[in-house]
């Protein structure tokens, strides 16, 4: 019965149906109402209930004739669609990427999320624009590439391009656009769904990284040139004393190839009598007790030759301050030692040559000063001649030394 039907309805639906029925009876107008009855099994259904009044000859409503259609499946699909659309809008309107739906038949955007305008540098309340307005902002050098990609898109191929774009304020940005054409049953593109992203910061970071890498390569090239072409030996040694790197001068000095040196410890090429002091200095350096150390030591070449050198070493640390390597500069001092020996020999010879006339002068003057030849003028004159002759000799020796010194400095020509 009608009353039984009313009891099957939720209170809101019950009141709505009663009102519509009473209105239809009073006014003679048809009605339509959505109902949500609960079936005996407890399931909720959706009904589309419609009714029309039936009149007697006097125009009075005598009964209602109507139909009720179960639209549960259709309603559930509609609700699911609404829920899906709500989720889509929530997602699309919160992401930082611009999102759009473009209808090819009307050449208009049917949906654009707020981020789309921000990416393009437009105010949030901007009206949907045309594709030509977007294309007009693309950098001229990128336009031909974008046009070619759009032509492929019209044939159903995905669009994925990075390009430079001028905002209405004149700011140059890097954008990345992705688009996915949707086709109908005939294969014609009817809709394009896509995203646009502001990648300016990423591009700037990439450019900065490339500049840094270029500067690093240039720095490494300068270092390697300075390392390999240095006029003295340079080596890199690990904390255990193992060779890590050695330049050409160092290899040539010791008669080893670089590969041979890298298989050795610096103990292997150090004179046994110098090893203890060398190792003590190395441990002090790598232990952080001294910032650097210098030592005069002897190497043993591959051929067994003893090579005197001066080593200057300093540590290289990692980012945590831990020692990684020791870099050493090695100077061959064989020529310097030979020069020192020659200098010593020269000083010895000069000292002897100077001592001889000085001794003669001192002896002659001492005899004259003592009055030994006071009564022998001829002998006194002879002593004086000896002193004068040796004085002249002494002057010539000193002049020759000065001339030799000036000759070495390039101030005198032969």
């Amino acid at each position: 019965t009608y009353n039984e039907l009313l009891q099957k309805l939720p209170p809101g639906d019950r009141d709505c149906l009663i009102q519509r029925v009473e209105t239809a009876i009073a006014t003679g107008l048809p009605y339509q109402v959505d109902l949500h009855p609960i079936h005996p099994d407890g399931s909720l259904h959706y009904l589309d209930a419609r009714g029309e009044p039936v009149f007697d000859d006097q125009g009075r409503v005598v009964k209602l004739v109507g139909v009720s259609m179960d639209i549960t499946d259709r309603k559930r699909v509609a609700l699911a669609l609404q829920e899906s659309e709500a989720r889509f809008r929530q997602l699309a309107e919160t992401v930082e990427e611009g999102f759009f739906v473009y209808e090819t038949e009307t050449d208009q955007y049917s949906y654009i999320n707020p981020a789309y305008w921000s990416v393009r540098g437009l105010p949030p309340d901007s009206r949907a624009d045309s594709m030509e307005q977007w294309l007009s902002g693309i950098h001229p050098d990128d336009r031909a590439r974008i046009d070619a990609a759009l032509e492929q898109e019209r044939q159903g191929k995905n669009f994925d391009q990075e390009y430079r774009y001028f905002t209405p304020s004149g700011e140059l940005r890097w954008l990345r656009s992705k688009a996915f054409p949707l086709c109908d049953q005939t294969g014609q593109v009817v809709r394009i769904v896509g995203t646009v992203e502001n990648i300016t910061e990423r591009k700037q970071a990439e450019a900065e990284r490339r500049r840094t890498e270029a500067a690093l390569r240039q720095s490494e090239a300068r270092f390697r040139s300075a390392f390999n072409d240095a006029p003295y030996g340079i080596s890199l040694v690990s904390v255990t004393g193992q060779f890590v790197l050695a330049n050409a001068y160092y290899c040539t000095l010791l008669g080893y190839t670089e590969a041979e040196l890298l298989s050795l410890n610096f103990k292997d090429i150090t004179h046994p009598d110098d090893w203890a002091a060398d190792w003590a200095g190395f441990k002090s350096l790598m232990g952080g007790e001294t910032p650097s150390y210098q030592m005069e030591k002897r190497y043993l070449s591959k051929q067994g030759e003893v090579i005197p050198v001066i080593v200057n070493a300093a540590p290289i640390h990692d980012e945590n301050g831990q020692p990684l390597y020791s870099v050493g500069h090695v100077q061959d001092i064989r020529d310097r030692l030979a020069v020192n020996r020659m200098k010593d020999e020269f000083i010895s010879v000069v000292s002897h040559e100077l001592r001889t006339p000085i001794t003669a002068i001192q002896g002659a003057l001492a005899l004259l000063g003592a009055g030994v030849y006071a009564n022998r003028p001829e002998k006194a004159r002879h002593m004086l001649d000896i002193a004068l002759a040796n004085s002249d000799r002494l002057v010539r020796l000193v002049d020759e030394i000065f001339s030799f010194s000036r000759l070495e400095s390039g101030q005198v020509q032969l």
Side-chain angles (χ1 to χ4, degrees), residues 4-22:
E4 290 174 335
L5 171 64
L6 293 178
Q7 296 304 315
K8 297 288 194 298
L9 298 176
D13 286 4
R14 184 185 311 138
D15 295 340
C16 183
L17 179 59
I18 292 173
Q19 179 186 5
R20 298 293 176 85
V21 168
E22 290 178 351

Side-chain angles (χ1 to χ4, degrees), residues 236-244 265-266 275 279 282-283 285-287 315-317 322-326:
L236 202 64
V237 177
S238 71
V239 293
T240 63
Q242 188 76 23
F243 282 103
V244 177
N265 190 292
F266 77 86
W275 165 245
W279 181 245
F282 180 78
K283 288 198 299 182
L285 179 73
M286 301 309 287
I316 296 176
H317 300 92
Q322 296 299 314
L324 288 176
Y325 309 107
S326 167

Side-chain angles (χ1 to χ4, degrees), residues 189-200:
V189 176
V190 295
R191 182 176 293 113
I192 296 172
V193 178
T195 61
V196 57
E197 178 186 5
N198 186 353
I199 60 170
T200 304

